Amino acid sequence: MVEIELDGKKVQVAEGSMVMHAAEKADTYIPHFCYHKKLSIAANCRMCLVDVEKAPKPMPACATPVTNGMIVRTRSDKAVKAQQSVMEFLLINHPLDCPICDQGGECQLQDLAVGYGAASSRYEEEKRVVLHKDVGPLISMEEMSRCIHCTRCVRFGQEVAGVMELGMIHRGEHSEITTVLGDTVDSEVSGNMIDLCPVGALTSKPFRYSARNWELSRRKSVSPHDSTGANLIVQVKNQKVMRVLPLENESVNECWLADRDRFSYEALDSGERLTAPMLKQGGAWKTVDWQTALEYVANGLKQIKADHGAERIGALVSPHSTVEELFLARQLVQGLGSDNIDHRLRHAQFTAGEGVRWLGMRIADLSNLQRVLVVGSNLRKDHPLFSLRIRAATRRGAQVSVLHDEDHDWAMVLQSKAVVPAAQWARALAGVARAVADQKGVQAPASVGDANSDVQGETWAAMARSLLSGERKAILLGNAAAHHARASSLLALANWIGEQTGAAVGYLTEAANTVGAQLVGAMPRAGGLNASQMLNEGALKAALLLNTEPAYDAAGGTRAAAALGKAEMVVTLSPFRCNLDISDVLLPISPFSETPGTFVNAEGRVQSFHAVAKPLGETRPGWKVLRVLGNMLGLPGFDYESAQDVLVAARGAQHVAEGFVQGELLDNRTTAPIDLSELAGRPARASIYQLDSIVRRAPSLQLTADARMARATEGEPA
């Protein structure tokens, strides 16, 4: 440790730290623009000049290493005059358009100009003008004359996102930030550049000119999309969500958001919102009141139970639903005497529950891994924030190996990559297991045989060598591996390799509440029908669809939806007008922004949130709709007064613990035998902007290159 004196206070910091780091530790603010704790040091704005004793001139705090006994003054006349001089230079060419700038009220330059700027400018020459750029549907670069060349956006792309989409060209007064070739900015985390920009050069295109910063109320929430459980600040005006920003949480999303989390809010007030209950009568949809709709559903369920038995009633529930909604859906189906409920809509194999599948480690530990093998995932698009952490680990020397059926650009250095048809994944992973056994001198599982003798044998050997070296290691099974027809064999092989190499084994888990859905038992027990069986024609006479669109969410796609439409009654509970061709009743339930609820992320972290806006129209929280439906059916255990009561009931059943799920419930082990035989077909998977009903209806996200590419390659839902 090195001790320095900062404004008269003694501060101890690690050797190699900069003066700025010492100031942060001492809670001393030094004005700055280009410095950011998550980015490399550029030292190009010079706003952080400080007075260092015995130095001939002011020194940049962000780029001046500390030395033992150093004396630093941040508020001396020398330091303040230097900072004022820098501010004068920064404002020379800056346009005087604060009244129309979207950054007004939250602009770092505006704030510091008040403290360090002069009352008038000595600059009388013509200000420079930088032409605007069109870089896509998410980021606005309409006023690049405001840019102060801090290069935060450039460094973010290079260092964090892994894609250098922006750069600086020319020199001096001709310098400008641009995509150089006129391309669009297509990174799945590009919106973070907007947060990083300290002026109004990069702004949010969907939010542009829609509200002022001081008009917005700020409320905490949790992302309803992938399994990161990113913490959000949702900004609301007149009960309408206007913008979503990251809430910093180093253990979860750090200070970043994926574009999916940031821009999907557009769907919350879209024209596709369902604002009142609807019944299909004579093939036409008719708006009705809640009492009529719920009575129709309750009477229909009673009649179908009487005519066909409770075993012909089932529920297909989305893992993007809250713990409370899933828990009550489970209670409702059980109360009717059925065990047909499932959240595993895209799965091809349905094994008996052996434990709650989870990440196998804390999310923060992904940043510190030294060896990683990822099976069946396009990590960068499936889990953008997990990808950022693993990319950061590779910058520190981590080795990442990939087994997948497509050759994606992961925007990071890969140690090994095997592109293998999905039908051969089990045999490919068996090849890695055989290579591990050979290199370690142990007996391989009997069913593995000579699986590493194929043409990719050297690739399996390289993956084995990587996993047998290093210390902190993980084998991560992606969404496609979880949905695979040989999912249990992949897990069994991963567990064997993990035992031999000391690697943790985990599932990346697909949705915001995949872990929570398992915890509350949103899957059939012995005798119940799984999702695939329920989607077979004639299996169900009555189906409840909770936040589910089978055409997009189920493995069978439109074929499964058509088969489900043959049931006598299909009830859709959704925030959107969907499933119109197969449903008989539409019940408008609140999205995450209009209901309290709880999500359990991939690491088993329990995160509850409150509604940030009032329900739109006649929309009601899903847990309330299910509770009232239970009451109308005369089922016991539906006397909850609040969402918190429902969560307490779930905790009382020892499904969900405070803070984190109880460790003994989380288990990725399996007793399933290893089967290397091939099955035709690819595992079901959703592209980055087709994952759930909200992102599918976000206009700006659907205009991105990722969305256009997915439509071109996937076409209509299968």
Side-chain angles (χ1 to χ4, degrees), residues 556-580:
T558 52
R559 293 187 298 275
L564 190 64
K566 302 291 178 63
E568 291 183 14
M569 184 174 72
V570 178
V571 182
T572 292
L573 295 87
S574 173
F576 303 102
R577 290 171 58 91
C578 62
N579 300 332
L580 297 179

Side-chain angles (χ1 to χ4, degrees), residues 251 357-373 386 389-390 472-476 502-508 601-605 660 666 668:
S251 300
R357 306 313 190 195
W358 68 302
L359 185 60
M361 63 183 71
R362 296 287 176 240
I363 289 175
D365 292 339
L366 293 174
S367 303
N368 301 315
L369 291 173
Q370 294 179 342
R371 302 290 185 268
V372 187
L373 171 60
F386 289 173
R389 286 188 179 273
I390 293 178
R472 297 179 296 276
K473 319 169 199 180
I475 301 170
L476 302 175
V505 176
Y507 279 99
L508 293 167
N601 71 1
E603 66 178 346
R605 183 185 296 263
F660 281 93
L666 302 173
N668 290 321

Side-chain angles (χ1 to χ4, degrees), residues 303-374:
Q303 189 63 49
I304 288 171
K305 180 180 177 180
D307 293 345
H308 306 285
E311 66 276 5
R312 305 300 295 277
I313 299 172
L316 293 161
V317 296
S318 168
H320 298 278
S321 304
T322 65
V323 164
E324 292 81 357
E325 291 166 347
L326 294 168
F327 181 73
L328 288 178
R330 163 87 264 177
Q331 271 198 311
L332 182 70
V333 172
Q334 279 186 331
L336 288 168
S338 173
D339 201 43
N340 305 330
I341 182 171
D342 210 346
H343 72 279
R344 300 167 297 177
L345 305 176
R346 295 189 175 102
H347 284 229
Q349 187 180 52
F350 301 88
T351 54
E354 296 176 279
V356 174
R357 306 313 190 195
W358 68 302
L359 185 60
M361 63 183 71
R362 296 287 176 240
I363 289 175
D365 292 339
L366 293 174
S367 303
N368 301 315
L369 291 173
Q370 294 179 342
R371 302 290 185 268
V372 187
L373 171 60
V374 181

Side-chain angles (χ1 to χ4, degrees), residues 450-462:
D450 60 349
N452 69 336
S453 62
D454 61 19
V455 293
Q456 299 225 46
E458 181 49 41
T459 303
W460 314 142

Side-chain angles (χ1 to χ4, degrees), residues 370-374 398-403 414-418 428-440 451-470 473-475 497 501:
Q370 294 179 342
R371 302 290 185 268
V372 187
L373 171 60
V374 181
Q399 296 179 4
V400 178
S401 300
V402 178
L403 171 60
L414 297 179
Q415 193 267 344
S416 299
K417 180 191 289 186
L429 199 55
V432 179
R434 167 57 70 182
V436 168
D438 292 344
Q439 293 177 29
K440 195 176 178 184
N452 69 336
S453 62
D454 61 19
V455 293
Q456 299 225 46
E458 181 49 41
T459 303
W460 314 142
M463 291 180 177
R465 283 194 297 272
S466 178
L467 287 172
L468 285 167
S469 62
K473 319 169 199 180
I475 301 170
I497 296 170
T501 62

Side-chain angles (χ1 to χ4, degrees), residues 152-193:
R152 281 183 175 184
C153 56
V154 177
R155 284 176 285 148
F156 173 82
Q158 278 183 297
E159 301 162 12
V160 181
V163 185
M164 188 176 176
E165 295 178 295
L166 294 178
M168 183 183 287
I169 60 173
H170 307 313
R171 293 173 65 97
E173 68 173 334
H174 301 293
S175 299
E176 60 178 289
I177 300 294
T178 176
T179 58
V180 182
L181 297 178
D183 299 326
T184 53
V185 174
D186 298 322
S187 168
E188 65 283 349
V189 289
S190 64
N192 293 293
M193 296 179 184

